[in-house]
Amino acid sequence: MRGRRAGRRCRSASNACLISRRSQAKRRSGRRPKQTLFWVDQLAFRLNAFDPATGANESWLMPAHVSSFAIRGAGEPIVVALHTGLFDFDRASGTLTPIAAPPPYPLETHRFNDGRCDRQGRYIIGSVDLSYYEQQIAGRAALYRLDDRRLMPIVDDITCSNGIAFSPDGRTMYLADSPAATVYAFDYDIETGTPTNRRIFAERDRNDGIFDGGETDAEGGYWVALLMKGAVARYTPDGRLDREIPVPVLQPTKIAFGGPDLSTLYLTTAGHRHIPGDQPMGEQAGGLFAIATGFRGIAEPSYRY
């Protein structure tokens, strides 16, 4: 699993494109205190570490589809969610050590999708039922919590987990189910890592953007990438649409606040078409972007369990 440099740097009128790499989907992103942006390229099976100060991008090839990760302390192994299970990845040696493998779903139809740590450092990871897109049977994926090398189901009756985020105090969890065109909110027990009281937080017509990756800011606003609309939306804590920021690509996928004062919103995008159609993808589709929003984020917790 060797490292490599990023592609060319580019700019658009309102957003900075940090890495341009066509035809590769980028998904999960997360910041660390030393100002490294970790992100994954799902279709290329790669975990990446981007240095905004130098523009250098280190990349490691995984043996299977990689969708999410959780960072421990500096130099410690990274938890990576592969199609085949959860593993500890040692960047120095390239070694993968099983944590929870095989995964708790049928490999023929499912894989992991969105994931992140809660405010206390528990890793929350969801799955997607890929057979839904042919069979149109909803509700066969789930959300899990990693407990001492075991994956405990904490939410069922979803189809494609996305948009996982937590309020600033950690007591509200957000979860988007993309095919359902819905973001749910839950009461979240910070002592046990248990979500309850599932309720609708936001809905929208799928023809007006599909909920994808989510994030919260320090004021409690919920941000979410709008796939197939080319925009990022912010909702107020009571579920009202506050604003939409257009981006120069059709398929934004995942967002994360970063930078020295957590005021930069980093955005990953997809370079392959998720849904058939004739909408332009955008010349920088598949790129990694930085957006100035006027809001500040919250430092991403390290995995501690």
Side-chain angles (χ1 to χ4, degrees):
M1 299 181 182
R2 59 187 178 83
R4 63 174 182 174
R5 294 276 178 177
R8 63 183 177 88
R9 294 170 67 88
C10 54
R11 292 192 68 86
S12 63
S14 58
N15 308 289
C17 179
L18 305 176
I19 299 177
S20 175
R21 201 176 295 170
R22 292 296 300 272
S23 76
Q24 296 181 4
K26 284 87 175 175
R27 297 281 309 183
R28 174 75 170 94
S29 54
R31 294 288 313 191
R32 300 302 306 140
K34 66 176 183 177
Q35 301 304 306
T36 299
L37 177 70
F38 287 88
W39 58 282
V40 300
D41 189 331
Q42 288 192 334
L43 297 188
F45 296 2
R46 286 192 172 272
L47 172 68
N48 298 269
F50 175 72
D51 183 347
T54 65
N57 189 71
E58 192 171 8
S59 182
W60 300 272
L61 179 65
M62 298 288 123
H65 182 284
V66 53
S67 63
S68 178
F69 56 84
I71 306 295
R72 292 187 175 89
E76 294 187 64
I78 298 174
V79 179
V80 292
L82 305 185
H83 184 198
T84 50
L86 299 186
F87 296 81
D88 265 334
F89 172 61
D90 182 83
R91 285 174 283 169
S93 66
T95 302
L96 285 165
T97 303
I99 298 174
Y105 51 67
L107 290 171
E108 298 78 14
T109 56
H110 289 60
R111 61 168 171 78
F112 286 123
N113 205 48
D114 199 22
R116 76 177 324 133
C117 288
D118 67 12
R119 299 289 178 215
Q120 290 68 45
R122 304 179 188 90
Y123 186 43
I124 308 298
I125 177 73
S127 62
V128 54
D129 175 16
L130 299 172
S131 71
Y132 166 82
Y133 299 97
E134 292 184 0
Q135 301 177 7
Q136 295 294 295
I137 300 175
R140 299 191 295 192
L143 192 72
Y144 304 89
R145 183 185 64 239
L146 180 59
D147 284 351
D148 191 24
R149 309 183 73 84
R150 296 180 300 164
L151 283 167
M152 305 298 294
I154 55 175
V155 176
D156 58 9
D157 192 24
I158 60 174
T159 302
C160 178
S161 65
N162 263 315
I164 301 170
F166 293 87
S167 60
D169 66 3
R171 297 182 183 277
T172 300
M173 183 185 82
Y174 300 98
L175 170 67
D177 190 351
S178 299
T182 302
V183 177
Y184 297 100
F186 299 77
D187 296 336
Y188 192 77
D189 188 327
I190 62 174
E191 299 300 326
T192 65
T194 304
T196 57
N197 188 26
R198 176 173 175 166
R199 57 199 181 273
I200 293 174
F201 174 75
E203 298 176 294
R204 67 188 299 133
D205 187 327
R206 279 175 55 89
N207 293 322
D208 190 38
I210 300 170
F211 291 128
D212 209 317
E215 177 67 291
T216 52
D217 60 40
E219 298 178 20
Y222 177 78
W223 295 78
V224 62
L226 297 178
L227 191 78
M228 307 308 296
K229 185 172 185 179
V232 174
R234 181 185 189 266
Y235 289 83
T236 60
D238 59 0
R240 292 181 295 109
L241 179 62
D242 174 56
R243 68 193 64 200
E244 291 184 1
I245 299 174
V247 296
V249 295
L250 180 64
Q251 299 180 140
T253 54
K254 182 68 181 180
I255 49 184
F257 280 100
D261 58 358
L262 296 173
S263 65
T264 300
L265 189 68
Y266 289 94
L267 170 70
T268 57
T269 68
H272 74 289
R273 188 175 293 275
H274 281 254
I275 296 175
D278 56 5
Q279 296 169 279
M281 293 281 288
E283 292 184 0
Q284 297 166 346
L288 174 67
F289 292 82
I291 305 171
T293 66
F295 291 85
R296 292 188 178 184
I298 304 168
E300 191 78 7
S302 297
Y303 175 63
R304 302 186 182 98
Y305 284 76

